Amino acid sequence: MRIEYVWLIPLPPLLSFFIIWLFTNRSKTLSHTVAIVSMAISWVLSVITFLFALTIEHFGQEVFELSVPWLPTGDTALNMGVLVDPLTAAMLFFVPLTCLLIFIYSVGYQNYGKQLDPHDAVGSPPHNGVEPMYSRFFAFLSLFAFGMLLLVVADNLLLLFVGWEIMGLCSYLLIGFWYGRNYADPNQITPRQAAVKAFMTTRVGDVAMMLGIVYLYFQTGTLSFREILYNEEVLLQLAETPSYLAGLSVAGLVGLLLFAGAVGKSAQFPLHVWLPDAMEGPTPVSAMIHAATMVSAGVYAMVRMFPLLSAGWHHGGELTAPMMAMGFIGSFTALFAATIAVAQKDVKKVLAYSTISQLGYMIAALGIGAYVAAAFHLITHAFFKALLFLGSGSVIHGVEHGMHHAPGAHEHLDPQDMFNMGGLRRKMPVTFWTFLIGGFALAGFPFITAGFWSKDEILADAFASQQIVFWVLVLSALLTAFYTMRQISLTFLGEPRTHSAEHASETTWTMTTPLVILAFFALFAGFVGVPESFPGLGEFLHNLGNFNRFHEFVGGTLLEHPEAVEFNIFPLVASIVASLGGLTLGWLVYGLNPLKQGQADPLAAPLGPIYTLLERKYFFDELYDYVFVRPAKWISEVLTYRIMDKIIIDGFLHGVARAAVVVGNFFKDELEKKTIDNPPIYLANAIQWVGKSFRVIQTGRVQNYLLIGMLVVLAFSGVYYLMLAGVLK
Amino acid sequence: MVPLSWYLILAAALFCIGLYGVLARRNAIAVLMGVELMMNAVIINLVAFWRYIQPTLINGQVFAVVVFAVAAAEASVGLALIISIYRRRNSVVAEDMNLLKW
Amino acid sequence: MSFVLDHLVSLVVFTPLVGMVAVGLVPNGQKQALRWTAFLASLVPAGLSIALWFNYANSGGGFQFEEQAVWYQAINASYHVGVDGLAAPMILLTGLLTPLAILASFSIEDRIKPYMMLFLMLETGMFGVFAALDLMIFFLFYEIGLVPMYFLINQWGGKDRRYASFKFFVYTMAGSLGLLLSIQLIGLSSGTFDIVQLMNLWPSFKSELLPGVVSIDTIKTVAFFAFCLAFSIKIPLWPFHTWLPDAHTEAPTAGSMILAGVLLKLGAFGFLRLVLPLFPEQAHLYSPVLATLAVLAIVLGAFAAYGQSDFKRLVAYSSINHMGFVVLGIAVAAWAAGTSSEAYRESAAIAGTGAVLQMFNHGLSSAAMFFLVGVVYERVHTRDLNEIGGGIWQYAPVYGGILVFSAMSSLGLPGLNGFVSEFAVTRGAWPVFTAITAISMLGLLFTGAYILKAIQKVLHGPKNPKWAGHMPDMSTREIVAVAPLMALMLLIGVWPWWLADVINEAVKRLIG
């Protein structure tokens, strides 16, 4: 078993981070070369691992593992190590690939090759020159890639958490990459504020997750995936032992706590508020972190922990508490976010809400027990969402290019606002066609896109188990297709609405090549997951060297292979209707008569206040500000520091001090001065008086001294004589 | 021989005269002279006692010579002191040398 | 060589005094000579403490490098020193931090000689407490550590230095009074002051000091609470913590580094060395209270830190927040030490290891943070976050990178040292004090808030024209002063075994 190198997979990007930070910071070329080469090394190792894993029969039973003791715990030790099972192998297929493509994309995005513009301020986005903090960007990207790969190959929950948090750090650093950027409107969130928002919102989930990890560790004595999740007895025990909260088993409570972490990381309701503001970061960041990898980490963690979350559940039986939570929150979020996406103006914000919505799909799929479907959608979504984000970055770049190169006065407009675009299909053809493919994949265009197959499988599973989830997801699919077409129409169709759009041009090859590669996957990656029971195509692919073995392969991760759902025409039809219907509706509203310059959104007037509600994201940001942020500030600044510490505690201490001073003064004045000090003073005065009286003898004259001496001698002689004579005794 | 007491009375008288000189004279050099007188009285006393008690032993003579030497040394030192004082203050009045007064 | 090895602990404890004398001999006006003499003098105990660490054999616990000499025979107190798995990391930490703090003090211009001499004297005090195995020796060195710190704050401190130094000194000394009383009670009752003997003797000791007047149980209870009070003030534990923000804020940079880095640990060390072994039953009964106070320290410390507008005071409150985790771990160990039930023994060992590890880690991260605060202060002469106004990163990218790194360690980011200890404490405390652990997560949440607030208000924002020309990046000396801390933060975060194993053996012995 060539497992020795698996732990090497996350290392090259980590080394790249240190090398760039410490050594190659000044050279842009060296920095991106180090980053891309290291990512490529990781990618190659991952591909080798993946291909090797594919060749092994029943891979789920004979995995690659390696671990070492890390922290001593009494008489035992907590181990850290790596694990490659079928799920890991599937993740290793797409994660390094997308990361690598995004690294390459970033070279062009950060304007490599252009000169450093002296008007560009460090810490703000460059206007037309190369990004001043170019190397730093690649350093952070590398660190992030390390975190994600660490999470993927981790063999225990703690190491997963480590990778999870490192990605959180990089997300913070990269969202706030342009830390010096300010906006004219004080209500618009700046990148540095968005970074804090992202970090803190996900941290709420993270602390809950930590409690879950700790609880699980205590209950089972280990955190290793193989020992907990691939172990019938342990899972049964966890499902049957009651926890601290009445009605929940240990598995249930731990599952809910871990799910809380995923809610934060994958931006599900109610912790979804950070993701749209995370769009303040550079677009490659949005693509990598907030589409393909970090947000998927939440879903991946849930997929990984599925045996625990579903402990005690049997197919067709009652859902466990975590599953119910996931089903509810996932499907609710899917619909909720889709409705908001319909009313957004910013091209990246639409994609952000779309991501939230699609993640909701995956969570909902897990909630109803569709393990393989969730994993499948995770992978296809990564491809087409990354594609869409990178495409949007390309569009923004093109519009900015037009902004700077339009003859006459430069317009000052938001290059991300779709209402400032239009007609870009002729100006940026490669971007257009790849974006179209990505958009259709997102909408689930039947048969030829990957998104169709993964979404269809979720719908099929939902139809077979929980009907309500099914209908909610179908409605979301309809809206998804609608807003996708809206986005495509506004951006690419019709005529350019502004001068900048007029003069936009296609971006460099480093940006368009990744788009093409991702588009390829967006089209063809779906075929690995075509169900075998699908009429015609399923059997055809099966005979073609078992091409569509995704279900069988990934399903092998679990102890019990999940059953593939029987083919049913109804969800298929519903899926096709929702997809094509939504696309057509979108085209009818936005594409048939493309908007002219200055024209408002045709949806605004008929929907009225509902449109505002959607556009302002149901005012959740404002709500959270009033309910959480302001009270927290008050508690911190006023209650804890000023009132509790300074007034109450210090006030008490100062009171004690003052009392001590009063007592001390009393002793000093009354007792000490009057009573105790006096006798020594009197004695001293007396001695002084005696001295003053006697000093008259000291005249300084020798003769006087001699006289006195003689008199004393005489006196003594007289006394002596008298003693000798017997008169005195 | 003349009785011993005559020499003793002589020495006592000289001593007292010298003592008077030391205690009551104004001039510092006169004070020194008085001191010399007192020394000489002592020497007379010593010699008388020697001659009348143990004339054969040399101790008395030696003692007297030692006292001579001491007197001489003391006179020279005393005079040196007075001269240095005179050089400072242009006066040898004993009463005025009272710098060590309290 | 064998002399060195035989007397390693005494050498470690007293070489700073020799260094102090050496500095005293350097003529007053020679600033560079004074600084470098002090620095080189502090490298000697540093090297010796590293040698101690590498020669420490980690098998089964117990005291190593023991030395005993006659000292005060009349009351049966001897000069007894030695190290075990709890003391060795602390000695290593002290030996490491002092040279770095002295290096950070190179920017002091005023009366360098007394400053450096006081610093070295302080170092002896700190080493002595960790190495002491006799109660009188312990107390002696404990108090020795106070006086130089008072003068350092009082003479070289900030605006409110008189108030802050006075408060620090008197408050801590008030606690020490109880400590002295208890030590006397124990010593006179049992007839010995030797800690090693008392560990075996005292918990089951029953003979009375004043029969009929005061029972042994009363003595034990009084002694226990007096010990707890003294150490709670030192740690500091909520609500005895209010001296810390003032003292840390007004102290000079290096003073804060040592105060937060080592002096706070004296209190926690006292708990582990004295309270738990000598009073296991009382500690067991009192542990829920201790845990409650710990979580209050964690949560309220985090909130208060978030509410600060003074950079240094923010970091000071972060110390209260981090030390809360230490006390939580100690509370769990206290709970287990007093019972013979096997139920949560493993958790207690993990929590105890986490607590001592957190002591070490906090020493590193808070020293780094205070140093970085000092770096900024020397350039912009203000600590007020609003006055600084941000926009510093553009001027000083190296400083920014180092600040973010150290801040992440303070925040407990996995991959760096803070996380390992906080995770261990959480894991250990969960089964024993479940609700309390859950509440402490609120503190962990706000830890993120205040760290990010500090980073944002100092570094982020458009390039601040106010500081143009005033904000040179970090000099080589400054980078050298903080680099070893950063290297250790990363090393312990990635590979904590070398440190945690030593601690684990000692903790296991502690809880029986």
Side-chain angles (χ1 to χ4, degrees):
Chain A
M1 285 289 188
R2 270 192 291 283
I3 59 169
E4 291 85 36
Y5 63 81
V6 172
W7 60 272
L8 285 173
I9 294 179
L11 280 191
L14 180 67
L15 288 172
S16 158
F17 168 71
F18 279 114
I19 293 175
I20 298 178
W21 181 32
L22 296 171
F23 302 117
T24 68
N25 206 328
R26 275 174 235 282
S27 160
K28 296 184 175 40
T29 318
L30 268 179
S31 296
H32 77 219
T33 313
V34 168
I36 292 179
V37 164
S38 61
M39 197 66 228
I41 295 175
S42 288
W43 176 61
V44 166
L45 288 174
S46 308
V47 167
I48 296 175
T49 314
F50 173 72
L51 290 175
F52 194 57
L54 278 181
T55 64
I56 299 182
E57 278 289 320
H58 301 298
F59 185 47
Q61 289 163 352
E62 298 165 36
V63 296
F64 304 152
E65 343 175 56
L66 181 66
S67 74
V68 293
W70 185 72
L71 184 69
T73 53
D75 291 316
T76 51
L78 178 64
N79 283 9
M80 284 287 187
V82 294
L83 167 73
V84 177
D85 63 7
L87 180 62
T88 317
M91 295 292 286
L92 281 178
F93 175 70
F94 81 90
V95 166
L97 178 61
T98 30
C99 289
L100 180 61
L101 290 174
I102 291 171
F103 274 45
I104 297 174
Y105 178 90
S106 303
V107 172
Y109 183 83
Q110 300 287 29
N111 292 336
Y112 177 73
K114 295 203 184 147
Q115 294 304 316
L116 196 62
D117 188 338
H119 294 295
D120 284 337
V122 170
S124 292
H127 295 296
N128 216 14
V130 73
E131 165 63 57
M133 299 188 290
Y134 191 82
S135 303
R136 185 187 292 192
F137 189 70
F138 279 96
F140 289 159
L141 282 184
S142 301
L143 185 64
F144 172 82
F146 164 69
M148 185 68 195
L149 289 171
L150 191 67
L151 178 129
V152 166
V153 301
D155 82 333
N156 64 73
L157 199 47
L158 190 65
L159 194 56
L160 185 146
F161 190 70
V162 171
W164 180 281
E165 292 281 320
I166 292 181
M167 288 199 290
L169 169 71
C170 295
S171 170
Y172 164 77
L173 291 171
L174 283 166
I175 295 174
F177 186 68
W178 287 316
Y179 56 85
R181 184 175 203 179
N182 266 351
Y183 293 117
D185 176 12
N187 285 329
Q188 189 177 357
I189 195 166
T190 57
R192 54 189 182 276
Q193 291 168 322
V196 173
K197 186 173 180 178
F199 196 90
M200 290 307 294
T201 316
T202 51
R203 198 168 174 87
V204 172
D206 291 344
V207 295
M209 189 170 185
M210 175 121 133
L211 283 182
I213 294 177
V214 158
Y215 192 6
L216 185 63
Y217 186 21
F218 165 62
Q219 198 69 28
T220 59
T222 176
L223 284 171
S224 159
F225 292 142
R226 283 313 262 188
E227 284 173 33
I228 300 176
L229 304 172
Y230 208 70
N231 188 325
E232 198 65 61
E233 292 162 18
V234 172
L235 288 173
L236 196 62
Q237 186 208 22
L238 287 172
E240 301 198 325
T241 321
S243 73
Y244 301 103
L245 293 182
L248 279 177
S249 67
V250 173
L253 184 55
V254 170
L256 283 174
L257 288 170
L258 294 177
F259 177 54
V263 165
K265 206 60 135 190
S266 295
Q268 297 297 291
F269 178 85
L271 295 175
H272 62 284
V273 290
W274 66 271
L275 190 55
D277 289 321
M279 299 299 115
E280 291 300 322
T283 308
V285 170
S286 308
M288 189 157 94
I289 298 185
H290 306 122
T293 42
M294 192 181 90
V295 292
S296 334
V299 177
Y300 168 74
M302 293 298 100
V303 172
R304 172 62 78 194
M305 300 304 297
F306 184 74
L308 176 69
L309 301 167
S310 61
W313 173 75
H314 303 286
H315 201 100
E318 195 190 311
L319 298 176
T320 65
M323 288 172 83
M324 280 199 276
M326 287 198 288
F328 174 71
I329 291 184
S331 41
F332 177 78
T333 308
L335 185 58
F336 171 77
T339 56
I340 301 181
V342 164
Q344 294 303 309
K345 289 197 165 60
D346 185 314
V347 62
K348 283 171 73 173
K349 290 254 181 6
V350 175
L351 294 175
Y353 281 103
S354 167
T355 307
I356 298 176
S357 174
Q358 294 301 303
L359 292 168
Y361 262 87
M362 299 173 216
I363 300 272
L366 280 175
I368 57 173
Y371 177 79
V372 177
F376 189 29
H377 199 55
L378 178 63
I379 297 175
T380 58
H381 173 264
F383 284 127
F384 59 70
K385 198 40 80 58
L387 169 59
L388 285 169
F389 265 109
L390 294 184
S392 73
S394 179
V395 162
I396 296 170
H397 242 54
V399 170
E400 279 182 347
H401 181 262
M403 240 163 60
H404 294 287
H405 293 227
H410 287 193
E411 287 178 303
H412 282 287
L413 46 71
D414 182 4
Q416 298 185 201
D417 190 336
M418 293 189 293
F419 285 84
N420 290 333
M421 300 176 189
L424 291 179
R425 74 184 178 290
R426 273 183 241 105
K427 312 285 177 190
M428 310 174 68
V430 178
T431 308
F432 169 60
W433 284 106
T434 52
F435 198 93
L436 191 71
I437 292 173
F440 276 8
L442 173 60
F445 192 87
F447 304 119
I448 59 168
T449 59
F452 166 75
W453 293 108
S454 55
K455 201 178 281 196
D456 179 62
E457 196 171 333
I458 295 181
L459 289 174
D461 274 308
F463 186 71
S465 45
Q466 306 283 337
Q467 294 274 316
I468 179 157
V469 170
F470 171 74
W471 284 111
V472 170
L473 291 181
V474 167
L475 185 54
S476 318
L478 183 73
L479 285 172
T480 307
F482 177 76
Y483 67 63
T484 307
M485 200 59 200
R486 170 179 183 262
Q487 185 175 32
I488 295 175
S489 312
L490 283 174
T491 313
F492 294 102
L493 301 184
E495 296 302 320
R497 285 187 276 279
T498 57
H499 282 299
S500 311
E502 180 86 40
H503 294 274
S505 68
E506 189 58 86
T507 47
T508 85
W509 68 270
T510 51
M511 290 170 77
T512 51
T513 315
L515 293 178
V516 170
I517 298 178
L518 285 171
F520 171 79
F521 282 104
L523 284 176
F524 298 112
F527 293 119
V528 299
V530 175
E532 285 186 28
S533 54
F534 197 83
L537 192 54
E539 261 198 67
F540 171 70
L541 285 173
H542 185 81
N543 293 334
L544 205 65
N546 203 6
F547 191 70
N548 53 341
R549 68 170 91 159
F550 187 83
H551 190 105
E552 187 192 315
F553 182 70
V554 174
T557 317
L558 299 177
L559 266 175
E560 274 175 51
H561 255 256
E563 292 269 325
V565 107
E566 273 303 315
F567 176 72
N568 190 324
I569 194 82
F570 189 78
L572 177 66
V573 166
S575 162
I576 294 178
V577 164
S579 162
L580 289 176
L583 285 171
T584 316
L585 225 69
W587 185 74
L588 284 174
V589 176
Y590 293 95
L592 190 56
N593 292 318
L595 292 183
K596 304 278 187 298
Q597 186 179 28
Q599 226 179 324
D601 194 329
L603 230 47
L607 287 181
I610 299 182
Y611 187 80
T612 317
L613 189 67
L614 295 180
E615 202 191 342
R616 299 293 300 277
K617 312 163 258 161
Y618 296 95
F619 297 103
F620 262 99
D621 283 317
E622 290 78 356
L623 177 72
Y624 284 175
D625 187 46
Y626 273 105
V627 172
F628 296 115
V629 179
R630 281 174 209 228
K633 287 206 174 132
W634 180 81
I635 292 178
S636 308
E637 285 164 24
V638 179
L639 182 65
T640 335
Y641 180 57
R642 253 181 260 156
I643 296 182
M644 211 181 281
D645 271 10
K646 287 229 151 301
I647 296 180
I648 298 182
I649 298 182
D650 267 353
F652 172 73
L653 288 177
H654 292 167
V656 169
R658 255 178 243 125
V661 169
V662 166
V663 171
N665 277 340
F666 168 74
F667 276 107
K668 176 176 67 122
D669 294 328
E670 299 305 310
L671 298 180
E672 188 91 346
K673 279 209 177 116
K674 292 197 176 148
T675 327
I676 300 177
D677 264 351
N678 283 337
I681 294 179
Y682 289 149
L683 183 65
N685 285 346
I687 293 176
Q688 204 173 31
W689 178 81
V690 168
K692 272 207 183 114
S693 325
F694 271 97
R695 68 182 173 188
V696 291
I697 304 179
Q698 199 169 341
T699 59
R701 297 185 191 137
V702 180
Q703 289 168 315
N704 294 12
Y705 295 159
L706 286 172
L707 181 62
I708 293 172
M710 196 197 75
L711 288 173
V712 170
V713 166
L714 280 175
F716 268 103
S717 314
V719 169
Y720 191 54
Y721 174 74
L722 287 172
M723 281 175 74
L724 273 180
V727 179
L728 283 165
K729 289 284 188 271
Chain B
M1 303 210 4
V2 179
L4 176 60
S5 51
W6 286 24
Y7 286 102
L8 297 183
I9 292 172
L10 174 65
L14 273 178
F15 188 85
C16 288
I17 293 169
L19 187 60
Y20 169 76
V22 166
L23 291 180
R25 292 299 294 269
R26 212 161 163 264
N27 195 315
I29 298 184
V31 169
L32 277 178
M33 285 161 63
V35 173
E36 279 301 306
L37 263 180
M38 286 161 73
M39 293 281 196
N40 284 312
V42 166
I43 291 172
I44 292 177
N45 232 347
L46 279 174
V47 171
F49 275 122
W50 168 69
R51 186 69 181 80
Y52 277 77
I53 309 279
Q54 287 279 22
T56 49
L57 281 181
I58 203 172
N59 297 25
Q61 289 180 337
V62 170
F63 204 159
V65 170
V66 168
V67 177
F68 264 130
V70 168
E74 175 262 327
S76 52
V77 170
L79 274 174
L81 285 174
I82 291 177
I83 289 174
S84 95
I85 292 174
Y86 180 73
R87 284 196 182 142
R88 287 277 289 181
R89 297 162 141 251
N90 245 347
S91 136
V92 283
V93 174
E95 269 184 346
D96 292 339
M97 298 173 198
N98 65 350
L99 282 172
L100 285 180
K101 181 183 159 104
W102 70 268
Chain C
M1 198 54 217
S2 75
F3 171 81
V4 172
L5 278 176
D6 285 335
H7 299 95
L8 197 50
V9 176
S10 296
L11 281 176
V12 167
V13 172
F14 289 109
T15 38
L17 279 182
V18 173
M20 178 177 108
V21 171
V23 171
L25 294 174
V26 176
N28 244 333
Q30 305 275 359
K31 289 188 180 174
Q32 282 301 94
L34 283 168
R35 291 173 180 141
W36 284 103
T37 314
F39 179 66
L40 291 171
S42 69
L43 285 181
V44 175
L48 287 172
S49 54
I50 294 178
L52 179 71
W53 178 261
F54 280 111
N55 279 309
Y56 180 82
N58 188 30
S59 52
F63 292 101
Q64 297 179 26
F65 295 102
E66 270 189 75
E67 293 172 49
Q68 192 151 12
V70 169
W71 181 52
Y72 199 167
Q73 252 178 334
I75 57 173
N76 209 4
S78 62
Y79 172 76
H80 190 185
V81 293
V83 294
D84 69 344
L86 295 177
M90 293 296 111
I91 290 183
L92 184 66
L93 179 69
T94 312
L96 206 64
L97 276 183
T98 310
L100 297 179
I102 290 182
L103 203 55
S105 306
F106 273 30
S107 50
I108 301 271
E109 292 291 332
D110 162 45
R111 291 168 296 165
I112 300 179
K113 186 194 262 195
Y115 182 95
M116 293 299 175
M117 288 174 76
L118 285 169
F119 230 91
L120 290 167
M121 184 176 158
L122 181 61
E123 195 182 5
T124 293
M126 300 188 291
F127 276 131
V129 172
F130 291 130
L133 287 180
D134 180 288
L135 283 176
M136 292 298 281
I137 297 285
F138 182 91
F139 186 77
L140 188 88
F141 282 109
Y142 194 83
E143 297 298 303
I144 284 182
L146 275 187
V147 175
M149 201 72 226
Y150 169 80
F151 282 112
L152 283 172
I153 301 177
N154 192 289
Q155 296 296 310
W156 287 273
K159 249 188 327 113
D160 274 323
R161 59 185 179 271
R162 278 184 209 93
Y163 171 74
S165 57
F166 190 77
K167 192 174 183 181
F168 158 72
F169 191 76
V170 175
Y171 206 159
T172 312
M173 189 139 268
S176 306
L177 287 181
L179 185 62
L180 185 59
L181 171 69
S182 311
I183 289 178
Q184 299 311 314
L185 284 174
I186 294 175
L188 290 174
S189 300
S190 64
T192 175
F193 283 97
D194 191 87
I195 294 179
V196 181
Q197 285 176 19
L198 282 170
M199 279 192 198
N200 296 322
L201 181 65
W202 185 251
S204 47
F205 193 74
K206 281 291 170 229
S207 5
E208 314 228 322
L209 175 61
L210 302 167
V213 179
V214 157
S215 78
I216 190 69
D217 284 320
T218 314
I219 289 185
K220 283 195 179 182
T221 312
V222 167
F224 171 73
F225 276 111
F227 267 66
C228 274
L229 184 64
F231 295 132
S232 300
I233 294 178
K234 194 79 174 170
I235 286 180
L237 187 59
W238 200 93
F240 307 109
H241 65 286
T242 47
W243 63 267
L244 185 141
D246 292 315
H248 275 90
T249 314
E250 300 302 327
T253 303
S256 297
M257 282 170 79
I258 290 288
L259 186 51
V262 184
L263 285 179
L264 301 186
K265 317 300 180 282
L266 297 182
F269 185 79
F271 261 106
L272 290 169
R273 170 67 87 229
L274 296 179
V275 177
L276 261 60
L278 295 179
F279 302 99
E281 284 164 26
Q282 292 86 342
H284 173 81
L285 286 172
Y286 185 60
S287 61
V289 178
L290 206 58
T292 312
L293 292 178
V295 80
L296 282 172
I298 295 173
V299 175
L300 295 177
F303 272 118
Y306 181 57
Q308 293 305 316
S309 57
D310 179 326
F311 195 8
K312 206 164 182 185
R313 199 170 280 258
L314 186 148
V315 182
Y317 270 104
S318 84
S319 286
I320 297 178
N321 173 268
H322 288 128
M323 291 306 284
F325 274 101
V326 174
V327 178
L328 186 58
I330 292 178
V332 178
W335 194 93
T339 68
S340 51
S341 87
E342 283 295 318
Y344 298 124
R345 205 151 283 280
E346 191 186 10
S347 300
I350 299 176
T353 308
V356 181
L357 197 58
Q358 174 83 335
M359 282 159 70
F360 193 91
N361 291 338
H362 175 254
L364 296 176
S365 61
S366 70
M369 286 299 284
F370 275 112
F371 173 69
L372 292 169
V373 171
V375 167
V376 159
Y377 181 73
E378 278 166 28
R379 287 156 172 71
V380 304
H381 301 293
T382 173
R383 289 187 314 250
D384 189 302
L385 291 169
N386 297 318
E387 253 186 73
I388 295 178
I392 298 263
W393 211 346
Q394 293 89 334
Y395 293 110
V398 175
Y399 172 76
I402 294 180
L403 179 61
V404 171
F405 189 96
S406 309
M408 288 302 128
S409 165
S410 187
L411 181 146
L413 185 78
L416 295 178
N417 56 353
F419 174 69
V420 183
S421 44
E422 281 174 4
F423 175 74
V425 170
T426 311
R427 158 68 185 88
W430 173 262
V432 183
F433 299 116
T434 310
I436 287 180
T437 314
I439 297 174
S440 72
M441 291 293 112
L442 186 61
L444 208 57
L445 178 68
F446 273 86
T447 304
Y450 69 69
I451 291 284
L452 294 185
K453 174 176 179 172
I455 295 178
Q456 183 172 349
K457 294 234 167 192
V458 173
L459 295 178
H460 288 172
K463 196 169 186 177
N464 197 334
K466 211 183 345 177
W467 307 121
H470 290 280
M471 193 69 210
D473 212 341
M474 287 179 74
S475 64
T476 314
R477 167 187 72 89
E478 288 169 334
I479 295 180
V480 169
V482 81
L485 298 173
M486 287 168 64
L488 274 175
M489 286 181 206
L490 186 61
L491 176 66
I492 296 176
V494 171
W495 183 245
W497 188 270
W498 63 277
L499 183 56
D501 197 34
V502 171
I503 300 173
N504 187 42
E505 291 297 316
V507 169
K508 272 184 359 191
R509 206 154 179 267
L510 184 67
I511 59 181

